[in-house]
Amino acid sequence: TAIVWLSAMVVNIYGGLLSLFSIYPSLSEPLTHSQLTILLTMVLLAHTIPVEVGIAKKTGVKFWIMFLIRFLGAIAIGAILNGIYSLKGTLQDAVEMPEFLVPGHLGWGEWALNELKNYGLIIAVIFTLVVFVHLLEVIGFMKFINRMFLPLLGWLGISERMLPLTVIGMTIGLAYGGGLIVDEGRKEGVKPKDIFFAMTLMGLFHSIFEDTILIIGAGGHWTGVILVRAIFAFAVTFAFVLITKKLDDKKFARMFMTKEFWKRHIEKQSE
């Protein structure tokens, strides 16, 4: 199943799911619901690495640091979930994938046709999710969620300047929130800690509607996909806040931010 996570990291979540559906019939034994939840939760924490970590770099965070946060974070949450499910003995029943999702032992022609069907299904799922998220925006649910997150993010140490941008990234997607932070990061007065804490939280917990619905639909259990992932993301971010509390902006920027960010903000402040 490592190929599933690798596909998700290199391509995206949809690529990872296609790999899962393709290899599932060839597994020596079916995955349990706990194993599938662990795998899919790890996919949620570390996927589309070249693009999403690239966005983080554009905001000013060092590429390798954000990569390690997401990669090691995924491994850590996988270990945590494995411990929880093993100790409690929950979700140990085998997963039975719907027949239309798994190709089985097919000839080349049948395999190609089945793959086209899978791509069509995923396109339909994406379209449905986009419509669903748009409806949530229309009825005002997204604004309600945004207001709910604001006090919690402020408590984490994320500044008022970054709060709304972080919420957008968490609810709609890292590409949106990160893009806004890239623009905000070009302005004067931005603090390196503000950007780093916002991108760390977004990196571990973003697209909480679209990606979450998709992963639960693929068989992930809400305890891992939503509950443990949310607690883990906030805990990791808060840990960085506590660990770096005594670092001034210059030391923090040298450790965690790119040379471009240093030249644009720290050197200018020193002049």
Side-chain angles (χ1 to χ4, degrees):
T1 55
I3 188 65
V4 175
W5 188 29
L6 180 61
S7 299
M9 283 197 292
V10 175
V11 186
N12 53 32
I13 290 178
Y14 304 103
L17 291 180
L18 281 176
S19 297
L20 174 63
F21 300 149
S22 297
I23 69 169
Y24 201 79
S26 64
L27 297 178
S28 57
E29 57 184 28
L31 298 176
T32 64
H33 276 95
S34 64
Q35 291 172 329
L36 183 60
T37 298
I38 291 168
L39 174 62
L40 294 178
T41 304
M42 291 175 67
V43 165
L44 279 173
L45 260 73
H47 61 265
T48 325
I49 293 298
V51 174
E52 294 191 349
V53 178
I55 292 173
K57 182 181 178 183
K58 288 183 178 180
T59 67
V61 180
K62 289 181 178 178
F63 185 97
W64 67 271
I65 287 181
M66 186 53 61
F67 169 76
L68 286 178
I69 289 173
R70 297 188 63 173
F71 180 76
L72 296 179
I75 293 175
I77 201 170
I80 292 169
L81 287 173
N82 182 57
I84 293 173
Y85 293 142
S86 297
L87 288 174
K88 293 177 66 67
T90 55
L91 304 179
Q92 300 304 311
D93 52 318
V95 175
E96 294 185 9
M97 288 286 182
E99 291 185 5
F100 67 89
L101 286 179
V102 292
H105 300 288
L106 305 175
W108 283 105
E110 292 175 309
W111 175 84
L113 181 61
N114 192 81
E115 289 299 296
L116 288 175
K117 289 180 179 178
N118 283 342
Y119 278 113
L121 175 64
I122 287 180
I123 290 172
V125 169
I126 295 172
F127 177 77
T128 303
L129 289 173
V130 170
V131 172
F132 179 69
V133 172
H134 180 69
L135 287 175
L136 291 178
E137 292 176 351
V138 170
I139 64 176
F141 185 74
M142 299 289 279
K143 290 183 178 179
F144 168 75
I145 293 295
N146 291 349
R147 288 196 300 269
M148 185 178 70
F149 274 122
L150 287 176
L152 181 59
L153 297 184
W155 178 76
L156 275 178
I158 297 175
S159 69
E160 292 184 8
R161 186 173 183 175
M162 292 296 169
L163 278 178
L165 311 184
T166 307
V167 171
I168 289 173
M170 290 172 61
T171 54
I172 300 179
L174 189 144
Y176 297 97
L180 292 172
I181 290 179
V182 169
D183 183 63
E184 188 69 22
R186 296 192 181 102
K187 301 175 182 177
E188 293 185 4
V190 65
K191 300 291 184 180
K193 289 184 180 181
D194 291 342
I195 290 181
F196 181 80
F197 297 152
M199 293 308 301
T200 296
L201 182 58
M202 274 196 288
L204 299 174
F205 194 58
H206 60 268
S207 297
I208 59 176
F209 293 108
E210 180 181 338
D211 290 355
T212 300
I213 294 170
L214 179 65
I215 291 299
I216 289 178
H221 196 265
W222 67 270
T223 53
V225 173
I226 300 175
L227 182 61
V228 176
R229 180 168 64 116
I231 294 173
F232 180 82
F234 282 100
V236 169
T237 305
F238 189 58
F240 273 112
V241 172
L242 292 178
I243 292 170
T244 62
K245 190 174 182 180
K246 294 183 179 180
L247 293 178
D248 59 32
D249 286 346
K250 286 186 177 182
K251 290 182 180 179
F252 186 93
R254 283 191 183 279
M255 293 176 64
F256 297 101
M257 310 304 283
T258 62
K259 292 181 179 178
E260 290 77 11
F261 182 91
W262 175 273
K263 292 178 181 178
R264 189 186 312 126
H265 295 284
I266 307 301
E267 285 187 353
K268 282 187 176 180
Q269 292 177 8
S270 301
E271 292 176 356

